[in-house]
Amino acid sequence: MCGIVGYIGKSEKKEILLDGLQELEYRGYDSAGIAIIENKQLKNFKAVGKLQNLREKTKDYTSQGFGVAIGHTRWATHGKPTELNAHPHMGAYSFVVHNGIIENYQELKEELQAEGIEFLSQTDTETIVHLFEKNYNINNNSWKSFQQTIERLEGAYATLLITEAQADTIFFAKNGSPMLIGFDGEDIYFASSDTPIIGRAKEVYYLEDGEFGYVKDGEVKLFDANGIKTFTKQPLPTDKALAQKDGYRFFMEKEIYEQTQVMNDTMMGRVLDDRIYFEELDEKLFENIDSIKICACGTSYHSALAGSYLLERMAKIPCQVEIASEFRYKEPLLNDKTLFITISQSGETADTLEALKMAKRAGLKSLSICNVDNSSIVRESDSAILTRAGIEKGVASTKAFATQTMVLWMLTLYVAQAKKTITQDTLNRELEAMRHTPKALLVDDKLHSKLTRLSKRYLHGHGFFFIGRDLFFPLALEGALKLKEISYLHAEGYPAGEMKHGPIALADAELFTVALMPKTIHYDKIKSNVEELCARDATVLAISPDYFELSDDFIQTKYDTHPMLEFFEMMVITQLLALEISIRLGNDVDMPKNLAKSVTVE
Ligand code: M6R
């Protein structure tokens, strides 16, 4: 995820920016850059890869005296991680950094290009600086030009702009991506989270969506759609480690809460009013393709399974899913009419990478769904769709799973619209449901407290079964994996209808069953399966929009009109349940024993 740092004042600016960006390293990035205006002189440095490369490039530069400065670490979304695509982006006399995605950048870019403006990068961000300069060239007023620029932007942004046209000012705007302003006397800082300014600023103001303004002469002028605003600063936290976790106890907890936000990033520019669009996909990708095979490991395998239900149901394309480590050695029969999809958070999982290489050797077209641009799997694939989950630190994957599943849902609709296997009405309903997903992922405080309380009842026993049917079977597998990874309790995911073919023999009061009972898919069928378990005295925690009186514990969900909204809402519940059980057991949630975040060995 990208990071922003800004500073206006008299201190040495290069070090403030580089140190600040260093504090944001944990979010992941693939290039970095800084721009400084001092004595009306603009200086700009960029480097691909680690910050050390940028430090090296700037080692002979120091900044003295009053000036304005902006810096950025970039996690590639539009365009490859190159120096040209790295921020700050440059116009003729201004620089901009930006987090988020400008949804209408293509339209803005075409408009600017038609007027003869040349673009150097493939990014959406560059439109901001050109738009600003175009306005300034007309009205000769920086503040007015900045306002006119912001008015044209659609999508999510946190942005800082500096310009030689008004060299003593930083312009800022925030909508949908985080940004804060730090204060220490006349020194004023900007950052995309607390950590870069802890130890420098004493007070902070967290900008709200829709706010924008400028800093000049040690003063912040803040505006929103209603005009100028007053604001209240608050003391800045002093603990950096805590700040990285944004106040959450564990990265996994933070990542569960972040899902609602990152899902917007995943959808941005892809979920349009009446269709799905993937800028990164060649329209010919599905030409001559009559089936799909997906290979992945662990959590990514579970999202693949969920995707296969969607692809077959809506896009009417046969879809087979395989565990990558099994696929590698089974001497699979492959044909070049199969599209080979790999799914991976890290993009470095050895088994998945090898499976991909095998498929390529057999002449298959390949597509990867991945969270890390430029990773081995992305580089090896013919095409890639980035999940845009941002860096995931918890070993137990949460937001990566959510965003992979979302990409597969979008891909399903993309294929379905191309093959015309669904009507426009159905497509519109799916798009509408998709837009609701961030809401379904919101963690409700009451729900979280309920799960904290419930967790104390589930710390023993002789095992857990997570059961579900259809799409909710992969979710049951994922729920069980989350629990076992971080609690070290035995848990299995099972198709609910299969319990009576063996596992029900285990049923007794010490067998804990987490039953996923969505209203929109086979509710009566799963209800019968759960009743069979209740009749054998299993302890049941039911999750459903409909009250289920036989259960020992019950969590009522809100969504009951679309399977995917039910899916994402229940997913959050299973993640929080695992988290709370693990915390009660005193385990290291983020670094469970015996596990690594990225499995680069066979
Ligand atoms: O990086 P990948 O998605 O390829 O990783 C695959 C698995 O190793 C990973 O999902 C693992 O199962 C996680 N620990 C799950 O929480």
Side-chain angles (χ1 to χ4, degrees):
M1 270 201 315
C2 306
I4 286 182
V5 179
Y7 170 71
I8 172 163
K10 290 191 186 130
S11 304
E12 211 289 312
K13 282 154 281 299
K14 178 185 82 176
E15 288 308 321
I16 291 177
L17 293 181
L18 292 177
D19 291 352
L21 293 177
Q22 191 112 33
E23 293 295 339
L24 295 172
E25 272 197 309
Y26 73 95
R27 291 160 160 248
Y29 64 102
D30 38 51
S31 57
I34 60 173
I36 296 171
I37 309 182
E38 212 173 59
N39 302 323
K40 302 207 167 167
Q41 289 276 300
L42 239 169
K43 277 277 173 203
N44 169 230
F45 304 89
K46 295 181 185 191
V48 172
K50 292 284 153 208
L51 266 176
Q52 189 48 40
N53 302 342
L54 187 61
R55 281 198 187 276
E56 196 53 39
K57 280 200 164 175
T58 53
K59 70 176 188 301
D60 298 328
Y61 170 74
T62 48
S63 67
Q64 280 144 12
F66 174 82
V68 293
I70 55 177
H72 192 267
T73 44
R74 173 172 186 257
W75 171 280
T77 51
H78 290 85
K80 299 235 165 290
T82 58
E83 262 187 41
L84 276 182
N85 286 336
H87 302 215
H89 285 287
M90 181 173 53
Y93 47 87
S94 319
F95 275 88
V96 71
V97 291
H98 156 237
N99 283 355
I101 294 173
I102 305 301
E103 278 180 29
N104 59 334
Y105 88 98
Q106 201 62 47
E107 172 197 327
L108 295 173
K109 187 171 177 175
E110 279 161 23
E111 182 184 310
L112 292 160
Q113 280 172 327
E115 294 178 25
I117 294 169
E118 267 184 47
F119 279 70
L120 297 174
S121 76
Q122 300 159 299
T123 66
D124 51 339
T125 304
E126 200 183 337
T127 51
I128 304 176
V129 72
H130 292 312
L131 198 54
F132 168 80
E133 291 191 350
K134 176 190 147 177
N135 293 332
Y136 184 81
N137 293 342
I138 297 168
N139 63 30
N140 213 24
N141 177 324
S142 312
W143 172 228
K144 192 170 167 196
S145 306
F146 184 72
Q147 282 175 282
Q148 287 171 336
T149 304
I150 296 307
E151 275 164 23
R152 296 285 317 272
L153 304 183
E154 286 170 21
Y157 49 82
T159 184
L160 298 179
L161 183 140
I162 56 176
T163 175
E164 283 179 323
Q166 190 170 324
D168 57 356
T169 304
I170 296 187
F171 298 95
F172 63 88
K174 179 224 185 293
N175 193 35
S177 296
M179 190 152 67
L180 51 87
I181 312 180
F183 302 84
D184 180 23
E186 297 234 312
D187 284 345
I188 295 183
Y189 300 85
F190 288 89
S192 43
S193 77
D194 286 340
T195 41
I197 61 166
I198 289 178
R200 293 192 185 273
K202 296 196 170 58
E203 290 178 304
V204 65
Y205 174 68
Y206 297 93
L207 286 162
E208 304 274 346
D209 284 345
E211 290 183 340
F212 57 95
Y214 62 89
V215 185
K216 190 179 170 200
D217 301 332
E219 242 195 288
V220 175
K221 297 281 185 204
L222 183 71
F223 298 79
D224 67 10
N226 300 318
I228 193 148
K229 281 184 87 175
T230 52
F231 61 96
T232 313
K233 302 172 201 168
Q234 50 179 282
L236 182 68
T238 49
D239 183 335
K240 276 194 185 168
L242 202 67
Q244 279 195 348
K245 291 182 194 150
D246 285 346
Y248 294 103
R249 295 163 292 176
F250 294 96
F251 280 109
M252 180 187 177
E253 186 177 29
K254 173 175 176 260
E255 286 155 9
I256 293 171
Y257 274 77
E258 252 171 27
Q259 293 178 115
T260 178
Q261 169 63 37
V262 296
M263 204 52 105
N264 282 315
D265 294 343
T266 306
M267 290 192 287
M268 216 165 275
R270 294 166 170 173
V271 181
L272 308 187
D273 286 348
D274 57 350
R275 72 196 161 101
I276 295 289
Y277 171 68
F278 283 110
E279 188 191 29
E280 52 278 76
L281 295 191
D282 182 339
E283 277 168 15
K284 292 193 183 126
L285 182 67
F286 283 88
E287 250 175 35
N288 300 321
I289 292 296
D290 63 12
S291 68
I292 291 177
K293 189 181 278 291
I294 315 184
C295 261
C297 302
T299 287
S300 301
Y301 168 73
H302 298 153
S303 71
L305 274 182
S308 71
Y309 281 85
L310 297 172
L311 281 158
E312 293 211 344
R313 182 163 293 146
M314 284 192 281
K316 306 289 176 212
I317 184 158
C319 179
Q320 246 195 345
V321 180
E322 302 211 31
I323 291 179
S325 55
E326 283 300 306
F327 173 83
R328 286 178 64 181
Y329 297 105
K330 70 182 275 205
E331 297 176 30
L333 297 177
L334 300 170
N335 80 71
D336 60 9
K337 290 196 163 170
T338 301
L339 175 69
F340 193 80
I341 302 184
T342 47
I343 305 185
S344 174
Q345 188 286 128
S346 60
E348 302 298 342
T349 301
D351 284 320
T352 312
L353 181 60
E354 279 313 310
L356 169 59
K357 287 181 182 165
M358 272 174 65
K360 283 187 71 181
R361 282 197 294 275
L364 273 66
K365 277 199 215 172
S366 58
L367 165 69
S368 58
I369 296 175
C370 190
N371 196 31
V372 182
D373 197 8
N374 223 25
S375 57
S376 305
I377 288 176
V378 167
R379 279 185 277 118
E380 194 67 36
S381 307
D382 297 327
S383 326
I385 303 177
L386 295 180
T387 49
R388 303 178 184 162
I391 196 163
E392 191 179 60
K393 286 203 106 180
V395 166
S397 184
T398 51
K399 58 179 182 165
F401 175 72
T403 52
Q404 287 165 351
T405 309
M406 174 52 90
V407 167
L408 285 158
W409 183 13
M410 293 194 289
L411 186 68
T412 299
L413 299 185
Y414 181 82
V415 180
Q417 73 200 13
K419 290 178 61 193
K420 301 199 178 9
T421 55
I422 52 173
T423 62
Q424 188 62 44
D425 275 357
T426 310
L427 180 59
N428 290 344
R429 274 197 302 277
E430 291 296 308
L431 296 173
E432 187 54 29
M434 250 175 202
R435 288 185 207 105
H436 268 87
T437 310
K439 281 210 181 114
L441 290 166
L442 264 178
V443 181
D444 184 88
D445 284 347
K446 271 201 205 140
L447 168 78
H448 196 161
S449 327
K450 179 164 185 177
L451 286 160
T452 310
R453 279 199 317 281
L454 267 187
S455 61
K456 64 175 175 282
R457 304 229 274 271
Y458 293 95
L459 306 175
H460 59 291
H462 57 71
F464 285 77
F465 270 95
F466 283 68
I467 59 169
R469 296 186 75 130
D470 203 287
L471 268 176
F472 292 77
F473 162 51
L475 184 58
L477 288 171
E478 176 58 11
L481 178 65
K482 280 304 77 90
L483 184 66
K484 65 186 146 201
E485 282 188 293
I486 60 173
S487 72
Y488 318 138
L489 296 170
H490 179 71
E492 270 187 74
Y494 231 79
E498 188 67 9
M499 290 297 282
K500 56 180 160 304
H501 298 288
I504 204 166
L506 292 170
D508 65 20
E510 297 291 286
L511 177 78
F512 301 143
T513 302
V514 179
L516 307 177
M517 303 174 70
K519 196 67 189 131
T520 49
I521 295 196
H522 318 314
Y523 178 77
D524 291 334
K525 302 273 176 220
I526 178 132
K527 188 164 170 247
S528 310
N529 300 144
V530 184
E531 281 165 356
E532 287 154 14
L533 280 156
C534 292
R536 280 144 190 99
D537 226 15
T539 297
V540 171
L541 164 57
I543 306 174
S544 179
D546 257 18
Y547 183 61
F548 181 63
E549 59 190 5
L550 294 179
S551 62
D552 300 84
D553 287 308
F554 178 69
I555 294 176
Q556 186 150 33
T557 48
K558 293 185 199 136
Y559 287 90
D560 61 0
T561 52
H562 194 286
M564 291 309 291
L565 297 179
E566 291 204 80
F567 181 99
F568 285 118
E569 191 182 7
M570 290 189 188
M571 177 201 74
V572 172
I573 294 169
T574 56
Q575 293 168 343
L576 289 171
L577 180 69
L579 173 83
E580 290 304 328
I581 291 178
S582 172
I583 292 175
R584 270 192 197 275
L585 292 170
N587 299 341
D588 184 343
V589 170
D590 287 331
M591 276 189 261
K593 65 181 185 196
N594 307 335
L595 297 180
K597 183 69 190 159
S598 179
V599 185
T600 51
V601 289
E602 233 197 295

Coordinates of all heavy atoms in Angstrom, one line a residue, residues 296-302 343-350 352 369-370 377 392 394-398 400 404 478 481-482 485-486 592 595-599, ligand 1:
A296 N -3.7 -23.3 -6.5 CA -3.3 -22.5 -5.4 C -3.1 -23.3 -4.1 O -3.3 -24.5 -4.2 CB -4.4 -21.4 -5.1
C297 N -2.7 -22.7 -3.1 CA -2.4 -23.4 -1.8 C -3.2 -22.6 -0.7 O -3.4 -21.4 -0.7 CB -0.9 -23.3 -1.4 SG 0.1 -24.0 -2.7
G298 N -3.5 -23.4 0.4 CA -4.0 -22.8 1.6 C -5.2 -21.9 1.4 O -6.2 -22.3 0.7
T299 N -5.2 -20.8 2.0 CA -6.3 -19.8 1.9 C -6.6 -19.5 0.4 O -7.8 -19.4 0.0 CB -6.0 -18.6 2.7 OG1 -6.1 -18.9 4.1 CG2 -6.9 -17.4 2.4
S300 N -5.6 -19.3 -0.4 CA -5.8 -19.0 -1.8 C -6.6 -20.1 -2.5 O -7.4 -19.9 -3.4 CB -4.5 -18.7 -2.5 OG -3.8 -17.7 -1.8
Y301 N -6.3 -21.4 -2.1 CA -7.0 -22.5 -2.6 C -8.5 -22.4 -2.3 O -9.4 -22.7 -3.1 CB -6.4 -23.8 -2.1 CG -7.2 -25.0 -2.3 CD1 -7.3 -25.6 -3.6 CD2 -7.9 -25.7 -1.3 CE1 -8.1 -26.7 -3.8 CE2 -8.6 -26.8 -1.5 CZ -8.7 -27.4 -2.8 OH -9.5 -28.5 -3.0
H302 N -8.8 -21.9 -1.1 CA -10.2 -21.8 -0.7 C -10.9 -20.7 -1.5 O -12.1 -20.9 -1.8 CB -10.3 -21.5 0.9 CG -9.7 -22.6 1.7 ND1 -9.2 -22.4 2.9 CD2 -9.6 -23.9 1.5 CE1 -8.7 -23.5 3.4 NE2 -9.0 -24.5 2.5
I343 N -3.6 -18.5 -8.0 CA -4.0 -17.4 -7.0 C -3.0 -17.5 -5.9 O -2.6 -18.6 -5.4 CB -5.4 -17.7 -6.4 CG1 -6.4 -17.8 -7.6 CG2 -5.8 -16.6 -5.4 CD1 -7.8 -18.0 -7.1
S344 N -2.5 -16.3 -5.5 CA -1.5 -16.3 -4.4 C -1.4 -14.9 -3.8 O -1.4 -13.9 -4.5 CB -0.1 -16.6 -5.0 OG 0.9 -16.5 -4.0
Q345 N -1.4 -14.8 -2.5 CA -1.2 -13.5 -1.8 C 0.2 -13.0 -2.1 O 0.3 -11.9 -2.6 CB -1.5 -13.7 -0.3 CG -1.5 -12.4 0.5 CD -0.2 -11.7 0.7 OE1 0.0 -10.6 0.4 NE2 0.8 -12.5 1.1
S346 N 1.2 -13.9 -1.8 CA 2.6 -13.4 -1.9 C 3.1 -13.4 -3.3 O 4.0 -12.6 -3.6 CB 3.4 -14.4 -1.0 OG 3.3 -15.7 -1.6
G347 N 2.6 -14.3 -4.1 CA 3.2 -14.4 -5.5 C 4.5 -15.2 -5.5 O 5.2 -15.2 -6.5
E348 N 4.8 -15.7 -4.3 CA 6.1 -16.4 -4.2 C 6.0 -17.9 -3.8 O 7.0 -18.6 -3.6 CB 7.1 -15.7 -3.3 CG 7.4 -14.3 -3.6 CD 8.1 -14.1 -4.9 OE1 8.7 -15.0 -5.4 OE2 8.0 -12.9 -5.4
T349 N 4.8 -18.4 -3.6 CA 4.6 -19.7 -3.1 C 5.2 -20.7 -4.1 O 4.7 -20.8 -5.3 CB 3.1 -20.0 -2.9 OG1 2.7 -19.0 -1.9 CG2 2.8 -21.4 -2.3
A350 N 6.1 -21.5 -3.6 CA 6.9 -22.4 -4.6 C 6.0 -23.4 -5.3 O 6.1 -23.5 -6.5 CB 8.0 -23.1 -3.8
T352 N 2.8 -23.2 -6.1 CA 1.9 -22.5 -7.0 C 2.8 -22.1 -8.3 O 2.4 -22.2 -9.4 CB 1.2 -21.3 -6.4 OG1 0.7 -21.8 -5.1 CG2 0.1 -20.8 -7.2
I369 N -3.9 -14.2 -10.0 CA -4.6 -13.3 -9.2 C -3.7 -13.1 -7.9 O -3.5 -14.1 -7.2 CB -6.0 -13.8 -8.8 CG1 -6.8 -13.9 -10.1 CG2 -6.7 -13.0 -7.8 CD1 -8.2 -14.6 -10.0
C370 N -3.2 -12.0 -7.7 CA -2.1 -11.9 -6.8 C -2.1 -10.5 -6.1 O -2.6 -9.5 -6.6 CB -0.8 -12.1 -7.5 SG 0.6 -12.3 -6.5
I377 N 5.2 -15.0 -9.4 CA 4.1 -15.5 -10.1 C 3.5 -14.5 -11.1 O 3.1 -14.9 -12.2 CB 3.0 -16.0 -9.0 CG1 3.5 -17.3 -8.4 CG2 1.6 -16.2 -9.7 CD1 2.7 -17.8 -7.2
E392 N -0.1 -7.6 3.8 CA -0.8 -8.4 4.8 C 0.3 -9.0 5.7 O 1.2 -9.7 5.3 CB -1.6 -9.6 4.2 CG -2.5 -10.2 5.1 CD -3.3 -11.3 4.5 OE1 -2.7 -12.3 4.0 OE2 -4.5 -11.3 4.5
G394 N -0.2 -10.3 9.1 CA -0.6 -11.5 9.9 C -0.4 -12.7 9.0 O -0.7 -12.8 7.9
V395 N 0.2 -13.7 9.7 CA 0.5 -15.0 8.9 C -0.9 -15.6 8.5 O -1.0 -16.1 7.4 CB 1.3 -16.0 9.7 CG1 1.3 -17.4 9.1 CG2 2.8 -15.5 9.8
A396 N -1.8 -15.5 9.3 CA -3.2 -16.0 9.0 C -3.8 -15.0 8.0 O -4.1 -13.8 8.4 CB -4.0 -16.2 10.2
S397 N -4.0 -15.4 6.8 CA -4.5 -14.5 5.8 C -6.0 -14.2 6.0 O -6.8 -15.0 6.3 CB -4.4 -15.3 4.5 OG -4.7 -14.4 3.4
T398 N -6.3 -12.9 5.9 CA -7.7 -12.5 6.0 C -8.1 -11.6 4.8 O -8.9 -12.0 4.0 CB -7.9 -11.7 7.3 OG1 -6.9 -10.6 7.4 CG2 -7.8 -12.6 8.5
A400 N -6.5 -10.8 2.3 CA -6.1 -11.4 1.0 C -7.2 -12.3 0.5 O -7.6 -12.3 -0.7 CB -4.8 -12.1 1.1
Q404 N -9.2 -11.7 -2.9 CA -9.1 -12.8 -4.0 C -10.5 -13.2 -4.4 O -10.8 -13.4 -5.6 CB -8.4 -14.0 -3.4 CG -6.9 -13.8 -3.2 CD -6.3 -14.9 -2.4 OE1 -7.0 -15.8 -1.8 NE2 -5.0 -15.0 -2.3
E478 N -12.1 -22.4 5.0 CA -11.3 -21.3 5.4 C -11.5 -21.0 6.8 O -10.5 -20.7 7.5 CB -11.7 -20.1 4.5 CG -11.0 -18.8 4.8 CD -9.4 -18.8 4.7 OE1 -8.9 -19.8 4.2 OE2 -8.8 -17.9 5.2
L481 N -9.5 -23.4 8.8 CA -8.0 -23.2 8.6 C -7.6 -22.0 9.5 O -6.6 -22.1 10.2 CB -7.7 -22.9 7.2 CG -6.2 -22.6 6.9 CD1 -5.3 -23.8 7.2 CD2 -6.0 -22.1 5.4
K482 N -8.4 -20.9 9.5 CA -8.1 -19.8 10.4 C -7.9 -20.2 11.8 O -7.0 -19.9 12.5 CB -9.1 -18.7 10.3 CG -9.2 -17.7 9.1 CD -8.0 -16.9 8.9 CE -6.9 -17.7 8.2 NZ -6.8 -17.8 6.8
E485 N -4.9 -22.5 12.5 CA -3.6 -21.9 12.3 C -3.2 -21.1 13.6 O -2.0 -21.1 14.0 CB -3.6 -20.8 11.2 CG -3.5 -21.4 9.8 CD -3.4 -20.3 8.8 OE1 -4.4 -19.6 8.6 OE2 -2.3 -20.2 8.2
I486 N -4.2 -20.4 14.2 CA -3.8 -19.5 15.3 C -4.2 -20.0 16.7 O -3.7 -19.4 17.7 CB -4.3 -18.0 15.0 CG1 -5.8 -18.0 14.9 CG2 -3.6 -17.4 13.8 CD1 -6.4 -16.5 14.8
P592 N 2.0 -17.4 14.3 CA 1.7 -18.7 14.9 C 2.9 -19.6 14.7 O 3.7 -19.5 13.8 CB 0.5 -19.2 14.1 CG 0.2 -18.2 13.1 CD 1.1 -17.1 13.1
L595 N 4.7 -21.7 11.3 CA 4.2 -21.2 10.0 C 5.0 -20.0 9.5 O 5.6 -19.3 10.3 CB 2.7 -20.7 10.2 CG 1.7 -21.8 10.5 CD1 0.3 -21.1 10.6 CD2 1.7 -22.9 9.5
A596 N 5.0 -19.9 8.2 CA 5.7 -18.7 7.6 C 4.7 -18.0 6.7 O 3.8 -18.6 6.2 CB 6.9 -19.2 6.7
K597 N 4.9 -16.7 6.5 CA 3.9 -15.9 5.7 C 4.0 -16.4 4.3 O 3.0 -16.4 3.6 CB 4.2 -14.4 5.9 CG 3.3 -13.5 5.1 CD 1.9 -13.6 5.7 CE 0.8 -12.9 4.9 NZ -0.5 -13.3 5.2
S598 N 5.2 -16.6 3.8 CA 5.4 -16.9 2.4 C 6.2 -18.2 2.3 O 7.3 -18.3 2.8 CB 6.2 -15.8 1.7 OG 6.4 -16.0 0.4
V599 N 5.5 -19.2 1.7 CA 6.1 -20.6 1.7 C 6.9 -20.8 0.4 O 6.3 -21.2 -0.6 CB 5.0 -21.7 1.9 CG1 5.7 -23.0 2.1 CG2 4.3 -21.3 3.2
Ligands
M6R1 O1 0.9 -16.4 -0.6 P1 0.0 -17.5 -1.0 O2 -1.4 -17.1 -1.1 O3 0.4 -18.3 -2.2 O4 0.0 -18.5 0.2 C1 -0.6 -19.7 0.2 C2 -0.7 -20.3 1.6 O5 0.6 -20.6 2.1 C3 -1.4 -19.3 2.6 O6 -2.7 -19.0 2.1 C4 -1.6 -20.0 4.0 O7 -2.4 -21.0 4.0 C5 -2.0 -18.9 5.0 N1 -1.2 -19.1 6.2 C6 -3.4 -19.0 5.3 O8 -3.8 -18.2 6.4

